[in-house]
Amino acid sequence: MSRTIIVSNRLPTKALRTDDGLTFQPSEGGLATGLGSIYRADGNVWVGWPGLFVEDEAEAAFVTEQLAADSMAPVFLTEAEIRDYYEGFSNGTLWPTFHYFAQLAVYDEDMWRAYVAVNEKFCRAVLEQAGPDDTIWVHDYQLLLLPEMLRQARPEATIGFFLHIPFPSYELIRVLPWRTELLRGMLGADLIGFHTFGYMRHFLSAVSQLLGLPNQHGQIETPTRSVLVDAFPMGIDHRRYAEAAASEAADNHVREYREALKEVRVILSIDRLDYTKGIAQRLRAFELLLLRYPEWRGQVSLLMVVVPSRDQVAQYADLKVEIDELVGRINAQYRTIAWNPVHYFYRSFPLEELAGFYRMAEVALVTPMRDGMNLVAKEYVASKADQRGVLILSERAGAARELSDALIINPTDTGQLAEAMHEALVMPEEDQVARMTNMQALVRQYDVFAWTKLFMDRLAHAKSHQQTLATTKLTPAATEQLKKNYHDAERRLLLLDYDGTLAPFHANPQRAKPDEELRLLLRALTDEPRNRVVIISGRDRATLQEWLGHLPLDFIAEHGVWLRSPGEEWTLFQELRADWKQDIRPVLELYVSRTAGSFIEEKDYSLVWHYRRADAELGASRARELTSHLTFMASNTELQVMEGNKVVEIKTAGINKGTAAARTVATYHPDFILAIGDDRTDEDTFRAMPPDAYTLKVGSAPRSLARFHVDGVGAVRGLLRELL
Ligand SMILES: O=P(O)(O)OC[C@H]1O[C@H](O[C@H]2O[C@H](CO)[C@@H](O)[C@H](O)[C@H]2O)[C@H](O)[C@@H](O)[C@@H]1O
Ligand SMILES: O=c1ccn([C@@H]2O[C@H](COP(=O)(O)OP(=O)(O)O)[C@@H](O)[C@H]2O)c(=O)[nH]1
């Protein structure tokens, strides 16, 4: 049976050392509380850190045994690993960078090494648990390298990755010295999920600009596989929170709190201690509310839960001091014997007590500076059985994309925040009910189970998409068979693309000249009388002539427009017109002037706009624009627009590498065909070949009509050499 192996830094249960020995408690934090409801189904296992430094083997064995009974497998981390990997690289480098607090980020090579080593440790732990049919679901920024590590160990595995925090703009990612390693690590997954479309867009942009891999509708084609990227806003276990809020235990808590607070109205704030949560700004806004609206003094209290978190990281310790001081200042200024402005708790609470807080609070204040999602906002909504209550929500929490019926605020605007609190306190009940009803319907429907199902369905889709047009690697056995067929044949046809197949790409196409090795190789192939070697390229005939014209090669140039046999003149595939170029060229010139680094190549019967040297994102976007512009112009004409590798080409329709290659096959009658290419335009050649032809796509494992793939230019040359 196939199971899901969930992997995250922190397990949903933490082990604690107390005077009575080891005890186990639920972990705080959205990842653990959110996924806690789903992992036990179907024999699934959760691999992660149990939050404790074990002292010896016996203790480790005890913790392992206890957690195994609840489907968890612990990864034990040493104090040094927690310092460098967790507090260091994860929470001192990645967390601030990804939350737009780049000024707090540290860049430390030792911490990076620890991060790599701990990701490797997790990799070993997962491989111990995962069978070949299991699905592996990796979570969050602490484990960005893990998908690729798992991929190396298990090339066929089904791997999903979900990021729980924001993915920031490329401008922040590019600052990280380890940016490409991190992106490559994530791309080991088959499906990469984010909470919002905005985060997903930033990721795709970083992958395009830093790795040069564009995407189509979130599908990235890496040299080895295709990877799907999508947005999945995480939900909560709605029923669990609704039931907890309606429970007798919560009832009792509410009664107890009410007795203490009397008639005072409650604004609630619950977070882990974190500078991303906007806790200090929130306190200042509450202070401003009391200053601007004295009528609320004695009437309203802020009930503020701050859950201890990462307090070994300097900025977290500093924030704790700042919050303590602010609370002290506000309370000292405004408190009376009967009334406390801020009820401040620096500890965590069990679910029933939290449920009591959610139920009792008339206003919830969720005002992070940045937050991947923020589940507290959704838990508050789920807890309001009578639909009374107002949610004030930061525009920069992922949850704001969905909970648009909240009072949406900018958390740095203290004045706006104070006004929102006032507005919430005076909001008519029918308005509250209308807003809360809408939000509840959403939180109920898109709960954590729906979220998981959606992610898993998309993962299955990503996997099946990879299977379509999948090519097999040219194995040694297949190579032997190819060589045998070649040697047995009397009339061999070799159709060889040039750029990316025989010669590596160059930023300046005119520099991709054949080297000595290639010239000798082609010479040797053409020396064999049973061979007919055709260079089949999109390049103009003059360049091919200049570079390779001295060899007894056949040429198919300009994607099938021009043909030449050894020692003969160039001939046109068919009569063509080129007078259209005068209308199209000004359009391409416009795109050149709008896109720095792009340029036009003019061939006899086609025009090409190149953007290899332009900014990757701008180039891709302009290419889409130009394609639709030219397609419009080409409608009702004999012209055709083609997108290739960083090029857009316009030329006469119906002529391509495939039509030209098919004619060569039809006139030459080969009994062995080898066609090799790397580009989209080579797919036309592959399509035109008979089924027994050897068609080879260049690339590590790309999707193609070709039967096989080979890794790169080196592998192509190696194979051709073996034929000699
Ligand atoms: O494990 P800790 O270092 O104690 O931190 C707790 C968790 O904090 C982060 O939670 C995020 O996930 C939530 C659910 O998707 C989301 O609502 C919230 O916006 C995020 O900040 C962190 O991403 C987790 O890895 C931590 O376990
Ligand atoms: O005393 C507490 C306070 C909060 N939480 C939980 O911690 C999670 C916080 O998740 P959120 O997504 O809001 O932010 P994160 O802490 O993950 O950044 C929520 O599920 C809360 O119910 C908890 O378990 N105990």
Side-chain angles (χ1 to χ4, degrees):
M1 192 187 64
S2 103
R3 307 170 305 160
T4 301
I5 314 295
I6 292 177
V7 198
S8 71
N9 170 63
R10 189 180 284 285
L11 283 174
T13 297
K14 59 181 179 188
L16 294 169
R17 193 171 286 113
T18 66
D19 295 343
D20 304 330
L22 289 185
T23 61
F24 295 86
Q25 268 184 22
S27 304
E28 296 85 14
L31 193 161
T33 57
L35 277 173
S37 292
I38 58 139
Y39 82 95
R40 286 187 188 88
D42 306 326
N44 299 340
V45 181
W46 191 325
V47 177
W49 180 54
L52 174 94
F53 302 120
V54 284
E55 279 172 354
D56 50 37
E57 297 270 316
E59 199 170 70
F62 175 72
V63 173
T64 306
E65 190 188 317
Q66 294 290 309
L67 293 174
D70 205 8
S71 313
M72 284 175 265
V75 178
F76 295 109
L77 300 176
T78 64
E79 288 193 55
E81 283 168 338
I82 282 298
R83 186 192 61 221
D84 293 338
Y85 143 81
Y86 172 74
E87 290 156 3
F89 197 77
S90 299
N91 289 318
T93 307
L94 295 178
W95 181 271
T97 303
F98 280 46
H99 286 85
Y100 293 81
F101 282 85
Q103 74 279 14
L104 301 183
V106 289
Y107 308 106
D108 182 312
E109 209 41 58
D110 289 339
M111 289 178 181
W112 163 249
R113 272 192 284 274
Y115 185 81
V116 177
V118 173
N119 272 252
E120 280 164 351
K121 194 172 191 173
F122 269 82
C123 184
R124 290 190 293 275
V126 173
L127 293 174
E128 266 175 36
Q129 297 292 328
D133 294 332
D134 290 343
T135 295
I136 303 171
W137 193 4
V138 180
H139 291 264
D140 232 358
Y141 63 99
Q142 303 92 343
L143 300 174
L144 295 178
L145 302 177
L146 183 55
E148 178 57 23
M149 289 174 176
L150 290 166
R151 179 67 56 206
Q152 292 298 326
R154 298 258 175 98
E156 303 306 323
T158 301
I159 304 173
F161 177 82
F162 190 82
L163 188 75
H164 289 259
I165 64 174
F167 195 93
S169 144
Y170 159 69
E171 288 302 331
L172 283 107
I173 290 296
R174 74 190 303 193
V175 174
L176 290 170
W178 311 277
R179 57 202 188 176
T180 51
E181 289 90 330
L182 293 166
L183 293 177
R184 290 219 168 86
M186 294 170 80
L187 288 176
D190 299 300
L191 172 65
I192 301 177
F194 298 91
H195 282 305
T196 72
F197 177 68
Y199 307 159
M200 163 185 163
R201 206 163 41 79
H202 287 317
F203 174 74
L204 292 172
S205 157
V207 167
S208 157
Q209 304 201 60
L210 292 167
L211 303 184
L213 297 172
N215 80 92
Q216 269 197 319
H217 311 298
Q219 193 87 46
I220 301 172
E221 300 297 333
T222 77
T224 47
R225 290 163 21 265
S226 78
V227 179
L228 184 62
V229 180
D230 211 340
F232 306 88
M234 186 179 180
I236 59 164
D237 184 350
H238 178 274
R239 188 198 286 181
R240 179 161 176 253
Y241 283 92
E243 285 180 358
S247 70
E248 208 183 308
D251 250 359
N252 293 336
H253 285 303
V254 172
R255 209 169 305 119
E256 176 196 330
Y257 306 149
R258 265 286 148 235
E259 266 171 35
L261 291 168
K262 307 280 186 297
E263 297 300 306
V264 169
R265 301 174 69 181
V266 172
I267 300 180
L268 179 66
S269 140
I270 299 183
D271 314 87
R272 276 182 310 100
L273 176 74
D274 208 304
Y275 50 84
T276 59
K277 300 285 184 181
I279 303 172
Q281 292 82 347
R282 195 178 307 165
L283 280 166
R284 288 198 192 92
F286 182 67
E287 189 178 31
L288 186 62
L289 174 81
L290 298 179
L291 186 74
R292 277 195 192 167
Y293 296 95
E295 64 268 32
W296 293 124
R297 295 181 199 165
Q299 302 297 314
V300 178
S301 286
L302 177 64
L303 197 160
M304 193 169 83
V305 176
V306 177
V307 180
S309 176
R310 309 175 193 169
D311 45 15
Q312 297 307 308
V313 181
Q315 292 95 13
Y316 288 71
D318 295 348
L319 177 65
K320 168 74 172 45
V321 173
E322 190 185 357
I323 294 171
D324 289 353
E325 283 175 7
L326 274 168
V327 172
R329 184 173 90 195
I330 299 169
N331 280 347
Q333 171 86 16
Y334 290 107
R335 82 182 306 162
T336 64
I337 295 294
W339 171 68
N340 224 356
V342 186
H343 292 269
Y344 167 40
F345 303 88
Y346 182 62
R347 59 174 189 266
S348 70
F349 287 86
L351 177 62
E352 297 69 34
E353 279 193 71
L354 287 180
F357 289 153
Y358 285 142
R359 233 180 80 174
M360 187 180 59
E362 285 160 294
V363 180
L365 209 45
V366 179
T367 62
M369 296 293 130
R370 297 276 170 185
D371 213 336
M373 172 51 70
N374 196 293
L375 298 184
V376 165
K378 294 188 171 181
E379 292 167 11
Y380 177 68
V381 168
S383 307
K384 292 299 195 187
D386 62 0
Q387 280 101 26
R388 274 29 169 215
V390 182
L391 173 65
I392 299 177
L393 183 57
S394 162
E395 64 189 14
R396 295 198 289 277
R401 303 279 117 238
E402 298 167 274
L403 303 179
S404 52
D405 280 290
L407 294 183
I408 304 288
I409 51 87
N410 171 2
T412 33
D413 186 342
T414 317
Q416 189 195 21
L417 199 41
E419 291 306 321
M421 280 187 251
H422 177 72
E423 186 186 340
L425 290 166
V426 298
M427 187 181 286
E429 275 200 1
E430 56 181 28
D431 203 357
Q432 296 182 28
V433 171
R435 287 167 179 266
M436 195 57 87
T437 306
N438 286 346
M439 292 194 284
Q440 255 171 19
L442 196 139
V443 173
R444 188 182 297 115
Q445 187 177 353
Y446 299 104
D447 66 1
V448 73
F449 303 101
W451 176 76
T452 307
K453 180 167 182 325
L454 198 64
F455 188 91
M456 287 302 171
D457 287 353
R458 291 296 280 163
L459 183 52
H461 169 82
K463 238 11 208 184
S464 72
H465 177 82
Q466 287 174 1
Q467 309 305 327
T468 55
L469 294 183
T471 56
T472 27
K473 190 170 169 79
L474 189 71
T475 56
T479 309
E480 283 314 308
Q481 187 60 46
L482 184 155
K483 279 162 59 181
K484 181 172 181 320
N485 293 156
Y486 172 86
H487 287 297
D488 291 350
E490 291 300 322
R491 293 172 70 78
R492 306 162 184 151
L493 177 63
L494 275 58
L495 292 161
L496 308 176
D497 167 53
Y498 184 79
D499 293 276
T501 300
L502 293 176
F505 280 108
H506 200 286
N508 180 347
Q510 288 313 113
R511 296 246 185 99
K513 277 190 181 166
D515 52 34
E516 176 74 3
E517 181 193 72
L518 178 59
R519 287 195 304 268
L520 290 175
L521 179 59
L522 292 173
R523 162 72 68 191
L525 286 168
T526 48
D527 277 350
E528 164 62 60
R530 286 181 291 171
N531 284 354
R532 186 159 173 196
V533 184
V534 184
I535 302 297
I536 179 164
S537 168
R539 281 192 179 262
D540 64 274
R541 60 186 169 132
T543 305
L544 293 176
Q545 172 83 42
E546 183 196 329
W547 288 355
L548 296 167
H550 62 288
L551 294 171
L553 289 160
D554 280 65
F555 292 96
I556 297 176
E558 286 195 30
H559 294 121
V561 168
W562 286 105
L563 314 176
R564 179 179 179 263
S565 297
E568 294 182 14
E569 292 302 309
W570 287 95
T571 55
L572 279 174
F573 181 81
Q574 66 183 47
E575 265 324 300
L576 290 170
R577 293 172 53 175
D579 50 355
W580 53 267
K581 285 201 283 184
Q582 66 204 32
D583 298 327
I584 298 291
R585 195 175 171 105
V587 177
L588 300 194
E589 278 164 1
L590 176 71
Y591 280 78
V592 167
S593 61
R594 290 177 61 209
T595 318
S598 71
F599 59 93
I600 298 169
E601 179 190 3
E602 177 157 358
K603 304 187 211 170
D604 292 335
Y605 293 95
S606 69
L607 285 172
V608 193
W609 181 73
H610 286 259
Y611 60 95
R612 181 169 304 283
R613 281 187 269 156
D615 173 272
E617 284 225 303
L618 179 69
S621 150
R622 292 275 200 262
R624 279 195 294 273
E625 207 184 317
L626 176 61
T627 303
S628 80
H629 194 149
L630 292 177
T631 307
F632 178 73
M633 290 183 76
S635 55
N636 300 322
T637 72
E638 56 185 9
L639 299 177
Q640 176 195 2
V641 184
M642 288 188 338
E643 278 198 74
N645 197 339
K646 308 273 188 202
V647 294
V648 176
E649 177 152 7
I650 183 157
K651 64 185 188 75
T652 306
I655 301 181
N656 57 43
K657 287 183 178 179
T659 42
R663 185 190 282 178
T664 309
V665 172
T667 53
Y668 181 60
H669 303 294
D671 54 2
F672 172 91
I673 302 175
L674 173 61
I676 318 182
D678 71 305
D679 196 345
R680 248 179 276 178
T681 60
D682 299 307
E683 296 296 313
D684 292 327
T685 310
F686 300 146
R687 192 179 292 110
M689 293 298 108
D692 59 348
Y694 280 93
T695 45
L696 262 68
K697 175 91 168 180
V698 184
S700 301
R703 284 152 28 83
S704 167
L705 292 167
R707 287 169 60 200
F708 301 101
H709 68 257
V710 287
D711 277 343
V713 169
V716 173
R717 292 189 184 184
L719 175 68
L720 294 175
R721 230 175 280 122
E722 278 192 61
L723 296 179
L724 296 170

